[in-house]
Amino acid sequence: MRVADKMNHAQVINNLNKNRSELSKFQNQAATQKRITKPSDDPLGAARIMESRTEIQGLTQYEKNILSTKAFIEFSEQSLGEVGELLIRAKELAVQQASDGASGPETRRMVAQEINQIFKQMVNIGNRKFGDRFLFAGYNTLQAPFDMTGKYHGDDAEMEVPIDKGAKMAMNIPGSKVFLGKQIGEPIGPSRDIDPNLMEDNSPPMLPSEALRGPASLNPTQQPTDYWGPKAVNIFSTLEALEIGLKTNDKMAIQSSLDFLDDSMSQINLARAELGSRASVLNTGLDTIQKLQVDSKVLESDIEDVDMFELVNNLSRTQNQLEASLTTSGKMIQNSLLDFLR
Amino acid sequence: MAQISSLMSVGRRSMMNSQTGLHTVGHNIANKETEGYSRQRTETHSNMAMGEGKVRIGMGARAATVERTNNPYLEKQIGHERSELATAQGRQQGLSRLEGIYNEQTVEGFNKSLGEFFNAFRELATNPESMPRRTAVKAAAEALTNDFHNMNSQLNDVSKDINSQLAISVNELNSYSNEIAALNKQIQEVEIGGGYANDERDRRDLLLKKLGEVVDIKWTEGEDSTVTVSTANDALLVVGSTASHLDAVASPAREGKGEGDFDIVYYHNDYAQPITLSDRIQGGRLGGLLSVRSGELQTLKNDMDRLAYTITTEVNQAHGQGFNAYNQTGVMFFDHLNDPQGAAEYMKVSSHIASDSGRVAVGRDPHKPGDNRVALEIAELQYAKPVFGGSQSIDEFYNGIIGELGIKNQAINRQVDVKHNIVTQLNNLRESISGVSLDEEAAKMIEMQKHFDAAARLIRTADEIMETVINIKRY
């Protein structure tokens, strides 16, 4: 083949360009530690990296949501724990006063005072805030859910918070459920005047005021025999009935309130159990999310990070190639017949 | 019967031949670096022999022609491949700009603001009463609209860039057409007299290749040695010694606005109506750029508009049903958009929201500060499938754009490499045939020099013989 000078030069330039652009590519990879610096380096990989980044971004937010939901739930649970203790104290007092052995009208009147205190404390707990928000007010979070008579001003809503793609978790238990027994089960026990607007669907029936005095077991309409599920109790009216019983020295009323106090305690325990199970779901969710975050990052790194061993190998190989090109090019360009003519 | 005088004239012609040869060698060496140059060779023919019968004496040689060493078919093929390479390079240039806009591999971009926008609503859902979180939603929305505007204006920049390149390329193309027309005339004049217009033909071949790099052309050489060049199917650029011109003019959409696209138009003659060629140009750098402009660039702009429109309307729909801190309902989160056209440019957080983040609606019922259902609904839009009739979610749609751009760029890069290799190989082949080799020219130079020496020696010998003849009488 006839070799013209331009061919030599073009070849030399071509080869050097090729070597140098390859070298610069590897050098760029070494500097960024990334195999993909633009989508065309690996379109599928690039799209997967984007997906994985969105995933991580979402997971980070869900992690934050879980942590704040968890704090809210744990605080609610702790508050209900205090409610439980108050109820235990109320029951102790009621048991003491249920018989005539250790008490009389005088002591009962004094104990009524303490029950009144417990009632007030209960209202305070019902109005407890987490930050600026009332724990037990449903959606009505900026207004105290209970007034001093134990009347409820919140609603029955549960605030749902996204805790994973497509998964939501309620962060609150409305006060109407915990304290008034709404939405729990068959309503029993003494009731009281409650704003009918706030108690729509399965609100406890308005009972005649005589019912304040008779034990529940005496009234067959209040506790159907074929019903065995959780019983819905209005804790405030239970305490109020006890207080009235104590004040009026009504032993029967005190005795009947014992049952309602037990039911109140199980109502609180039910709510605590629900909160507890939510918290444990959140804990599991948190673990999963943290693991997913790591997994996504590993995946991202697998796709876009360079393999250092391979890169170093490639770098030294192209370096050698470039040197070889330069050496041979120098020799090839120099030689000419003209150098040998004298 | 050999004459001494004819011996002298054989020597003299021989000297002249070698001088012509040396001249050609010089011309070759001088044009070694000239682009498109084909090496030339002096062809000598032996002269008619003299004498009768069995004694016919050769009368030396004469320089018959100076011809270029060239393979016209190869030249045409190179022209074709260079044109295709230029098409691919034009597309590559446009596509790599577009890729740059959507490149989020090493920097944070649109995808992140999109995620943050929805995350802000998710965060708000955990604490719907919080003003700082509402403000964060507003800020995230403003960042998102800013990103839409940025992407849109970057896409417009690419469009402007392509348009200004069109205008420049048209000038380049017209100057090539003019020169080809002029060369047509020169070549015709030279070759009608029987000569070879070597250098002019080299130049014309080169210009045809360069013209082919600007637009896709077809050309044929006629009997009269002139080439006829046409582009975009049937627009004649050069016929004989006249050239028609292309021009870049404002498209109807651009008219009077200072922004928008240029159209390429063709004037058959100075008085003819312009014919728009923009849609018909398929190849060359112009074809590549035009295909990106009317294809990928337009698609991306439509996609961004579609995305902006979808987010605006879906968010507004959810938001409009909610109640804000003032217990107002029906407040738009983004300014209302009538249709997707230009949505990426006009998308804007509504002035109500921008001036007071208390107007962000979070709940579905009035007077319920803890109601977070609207925030939940908006956050879920990220994974819902509202784009393009519900086949893709917003995320999937945007990531799909990036994947597709990546694939297109990868393909065009590969195509440019392949075409580049082909052109290099063909160029090598051409140089192997037509290129100047200094070794060869040096050898030729020595050969010619020796030839010249020998011819001179011949004349001296003839001279001596002549002298001998003249001196016969003295002895």
Side-chain angles (χ1 to χ4, degrees):
Chain A
M1 180 169 172
R2 184 176 174 275
V3 178
D5 289 3
K6 251 193 177 171
M7 287 165 71
N8 279 340
H9 287 108
Q11 195 179 328
V12 165
I13 290 166
N14 236 346
N15 287 338
L16 288 180
N17 276 344
K18 214 182 276 175
N19 291 146
R20 285 213 188 272
S21 73
E22 205 167 335
L23 196 61
S24 105
K25 186 180 97 187
F26 289 134
Q27 208 280 328
N28 194 23
Q29 287 187 357
T32 56
Q33 294 286 307
K34 298 249 184 294
R35 190 174 64 84
I36 304 176
T37 52
K38 51 186 190 308
S40 56
D41 290 339
D42 178 357
L44 285 179
R48 281 178 66 191
I49 289 170
M50 297 300 291
E51 277 166 28
S52 150
R53 281 190 194 161
T54 317
E55 181 91 16
I56 292 173
Q57 211 181 6
L59 290 174
T60 313
Q61 183 60 46
Y62 290 132
E63 191 183 355
K64 272 161 81 182
N65 282 10
I66 286 181
L67 289 174
S68 62
T69 309
K70 216 175 114 184
F72 196 97
I73 284 177
E74 278 169 357
F75 193 53
S76 304
E77 207 267 346
Q78 189 193 326
S79 303
L80 292 185
E82 289 171 35
V83 170
E85 276 161 28
L86 288 176
L87 286 172
I88 289 171
R89 176 67 187 148
K91 196 187 166 194
E92 271 172 25
L93 294 170
V95 168
Q96 275 173 22
Q97 306 304 324
S99 63
D100 290 334
S103 58
E106 282 305 305
T107 49
R108 286 192 179 129
R109 199 159 296 133
M110 278 165 59
V111 169
Q113 287 299 312
E114 193 176 343
I115 294 296
N116 189 257
Q117 284 306 315
I118 289 176
F119 182 92
K120 281 178 182 156
Q121 262 176 286
M122 198 77 87
V123 169
N124 281 339
I125 294 174
N127 286 341
R128 193 161 274 174
K129 279 169 132 184
F130 183 68
D132 292 338
R133 325 160 71 190
F134 289 97
L135 285 175
F136 301 109
Y139 279 153
N140 226 347
T141 47
L142 295 183
Q143 194 190 355
F146 295 101
D147 59 21
M148 283 323 287
T149 65
K151 206 164 153 191
Y152 186 59
H153 299 286
D155 58 25
D156 305 335
E158 298 195 327
M159 286 183 281
E160 292 196 306
V161 171
I163 56 160
D164 201 348
K165 237 186 209 181
K168 281 182 286 194
M169 160 87 59
M171 67 196 294
N172 68 319
I173 286 193
S176 56
K177 188 173 178 181
V178 197
F179 293 98
L180 309 183
K182 204 178 167 193
Q183 296 172 338
I184 286 186
E186 205 64 29
I188 58 157
S191 183
R192 55 206 300 274
D193 283 344
I194 289 165
D195 183 355
N197 291 331
L198 294 172
M199 306 290 282
E200 312 94 11
D201 35 38
N202 57 347
S203 53
M206 294 292 162
L207 294 178
S209 56
E210 299 90 64
L212 285 176
R213 285 194 191 88
S217 53
L218 294 182
N219 191 343
T221 57
Q222 288 181 0
Q223 206 159 23
T225 46
D226 57 346
Y227 182 73
W228 53 270
K231 291 153 194 151
V233 192
N234 184 328
I235 295 176
F236 288 114
S237 45
T238 301
L239 284 175
E240 209 168 46
L242 176 60
E243 193 189 334
I244 292 169
L246 286 166
K247 273 183 181 160
T248 55
N249 197 16
D250 184 342
K251 207 169 69 180
M252 294 293 275
I254 298 170
Q255 280 172 359
S256 74
S257 70
L258 283 178
D259 280 346
F260 297 140
L261 282 172
D262 280 341
D263 291 333
S264 300
M265 255 182 286
S266 51
Q267 182 169 309
I268 293 295
N269 286 338
L270 193 71
R272 289 180 68 184
E274 188 177 342
L275 289 174
S277 71
R278 284 187 201 169
S280 93
V281 168
L282 287 180
N283 281 334
T284 322
L286 193 61
D287 283 351
T288 316
I289 278 176
Q290 283 166 345
K291 188 176 169 297
L292 275 176
Q293 275 177 316
V294 175
D295 285 353
S296 299
K297 277 184 183 140
V298 168
L299 177 75
E300 201 181 315
S301 155
D302 275 351
I303 298 170
E304 76 173 344
D305 288 357
V306 284
D307 178 345
M308 269 320 269
F309 291 111
E310 197 186 325
L311 177 66
V312 169
N313 193 20
N314 283 339
L315 259 177
S316 61
R317 181 172 52 80
T318 34
Q319 195 116 36
N320 286 339
Q321 274 177 355
L322 178 64
E323 273 167 30
S325 295
L326 285 171
T327 318
T328 49
S329 305
K331 283 185 179 148
M332 193 157 95
I333 290 180
Q334 269 172 15
N335 288 347
S336 162
L337 178 60
L338 293 168
D339 299 329
F340 298 93
L341 294 178
R342 290 280 176 271
Chain B
M1 185 59 198
Q3 309 265 340
I4 295 174
S5 61
S6 79
L7 190 62
M8 274 183 122
S9 77
V10 166
R12 182 172 53 83
R13 270 201 297 269
S14 200
M15 274 169 82
M16 279 165 62
N17 287 351
S18 54
Q19 273 188 66
T20 312
L22 271 173
H23 226 281
T24 309
V25 166
H27 188 59
N28 282 342
I29 292 173
N31 282 299
K32 178 171 166 282
E33 292 303 322
T34 304
E35 199 185 354
Y37 180 77
S38 306
R39 72 195 159 100
Q40 298 179 8
R41 280 288 165 262
T42 315
E43 296 281 322
T44 50
H45 290 180
S46 47
N47 280 335
M48 181 90 77
M50 304 271 279
E52 299 146 8
K54 287 187 177 172
V55 185
R56 283 173 61 83
I57 302 161
M59 281 293 133
R62 60 190 148 81
T65 54
V66 179
E67 278 184 88
R68 62 180 186 146
T69 318
N70 182 280
N71 179 344
Y73 302 105
L74 183 61
E75 300 288 338
K76 198 151 188 173
Q77 203 185 340
I78 291 176
H80 181 69
E81 293 296 341
R82 271 173 73 164
S83 181
E84 291 201 340
L85 173 63
T87 314
Q89 279 171 334
R91 278 182 61 74
Q92 186 189 37
Q93 194 193 345
L95 287 176
S96 74
R97 286 284 303 271
L98 294 178
E99 186 186 21
I101 297 176
Y102 286 86
N103 186 2
E104 297 186 27
Q105 300 305 317
T106 49
V107 290
E108 287 164 351
F110 182 82
N111 193 47
K112 191 169 162 79
S113 350
L114 196 60
E116 269 169 7
F117 174 69
F118 290 113
N119 268 352
F121 276 101
R122 247 165 240 138
E123 176 76 33
L124 180 59
T126 67
N127 200 339
E129 307 84 353
S130 155
M131 276 301 149
R133 284 179 178 78
R134 283 163 191 254
T135 310
V137 163
K138 185 189 83 180
E142 279 169 348
L144 182 68
T145 51
N146 261 344
D147 269 11
F148 265 114
H149 300 165
N150 276 342
M151 302 277 279
N152 192 57
S153 73
Q154 286 187 62
L155 288 174
N156 282 338
D157 283 349
V158 174
S159 167
K160 268 182 212 158
D161 196 43
I162 289 179
N163 279 314
S164 69
Q165 284 200 46
L166 290 183
I168 294 169
S169 297
V170 164
N171 288 339
E172 189 185 347
L173 181 141
N174 285 338
S175 80
Y176 290 152
S177 305
N178 281 341
E179 200 178 338
I180 290 173
L183 284 166
N184 265 347
K185 191 164 178 238
Q186 287 175 29
I187 291 168
Q188 193 180 17
E189 280 169 5
V190 169
E191 297 197 347
I192 225 162
Y196 292 95
N198 292 327
D199 298 310
E200 290 84 352
R201 276 182 175 274
D202 278 345
R203 179 76 187 152
R204 191 175 68 182
D205 285 350
L206 178 68
L207 288 173
L208 284 170
K209 286 178 201 156
K210 291 197 165 188
L211 189 57
E213 285 178 342
V214 183
V215 286
D216 51 331
I217 53 164
K218 283 185 189 144
W219 60 270
T220 43
E221 187 175 337
E223 293 284 310
D224 59 354
S225 308
T226 65
V227 291
T228 306
V229 187
S230 69
T231 182
N233 288 339
D234 49 7
L236 288 169
L237 286 177
V238 181
V239 180
S241 57
T242 54
S244 303
H245 290 155
L246 296 187
D247 200 0
V249 298
S251 68
R254 185 189 169 96
E255 207 82 57
K257 277 200 299 182
E259 58 180 52
D261 290 342
F262 278 122
D263 268 336
I264 307 289
V265 295
Y266 168 73
Y267 296 97
H268 180 58
N269 58 47
D270 289 350
Y271 312 104
Q273 281 295 312
I275 301 165
T276 306
L277 294 185
S278 301
D279 303 335
R280 288 201 271 166
I281 292 174
Q282 303 288 330
R285 202 167 57 240
L286 280 186
L289 289 171
L290 282 168
S291 83
V292 172
R293 189 182 79 176
S294 62
E296 286 80 5
L297 181 57
Q298 199 51 50
T299 312
L300 286 175
K301 281 172 105 167
N302 291 345
D303 284 351
M304 292 314 282
D305 282 349
R306 202 87 185 230
L307 201 54
Y309 181 72
T310 304
I311 293 175
T312 300
T313 48
E314 296 283 334
V315 169
N316 272 351
Q317 203 196 341
H319 190 263
Q321 290 169 1
F323 286 85
N324 60 22
Y326 300 98
N327 294 307
Q328 299 164 315
T329 188
V331 176
M332 295 286 112
F333 191 85
F334 294 111
D335 280 348
H336 177 71
L337 295 172
N338 286 323
D339 60 299
Q341 180 74 32
E345 188 183 345
Y346 304 126
M347 184 184 189
K348 190 168 164 290
V349 177
S350 82
S351 53
H352 299 293
I353 305 282
S355 61
D356 180 0
S357 39
R359 292 186 203 270
V360 175
V362 192
R364 201 168 286 158
D365 290 327
H367 304 289
K368 302 282 184 195
D371 188 354
N372 61 359
R373 283 174 289 177
V374 167
L376 284 181
E377 195 181 329
I378 293 175
E380 271 161 22
L381 285 176
Q382 186 178 15
Y383 306 123
K385 301 193 179 298
V387 193
F388 292 134
S391 65
Q392 281 174 308
S393 73
I394 290 171
D395 270 352
E396 287 166 341
F397 180 66
Y398 183 73
N399 289 341
I401 293 178
I402 293 181
E404 195 180 328
L405 253 186
I407 289 172
K408 284 200 162 158
N409 265 286
Q410 196 184 36
I412 198 71
N413 288 344
R414 209 175 286 147
Q415 200 185 336
V416 167
D417 276 352
V418 169
K419 287 285 167 202
H420 197 267
N421 278 342
I422 293 175
V423 168
T424 309
Q425 223 161 1
L426 288 177
N427 270 339
N428 263 345
L429 206 56
R430 181 199 180 271
E431 287 304 317
S432 169
I433 294 167
S434 307
V436 176
S437 158
L438 280 186
D439 288 350
E440 199 177 284
E441 299 304 323
K444 200 90 190 166
M445 195 156 49
I446 293 162
E447 191 189 339
M448 289 299 165
Q449 194 183 359
K450 295 277 182 225
H451 184 190
F452 187 87
D453 286 354
R457 185 67 60 83
L458 187 68
I459 290 174
R460 202 164 87 197
T461 307
D463 182 43
E464 281 169 13
I465 294 172
M466 185 71 89
E467 202 169 312
T468 309
V469 172
I470 289 168
N471 284 340
I472 287 174
K473 201 179 163 195
R474 282 198 200 145
Y475 299 106

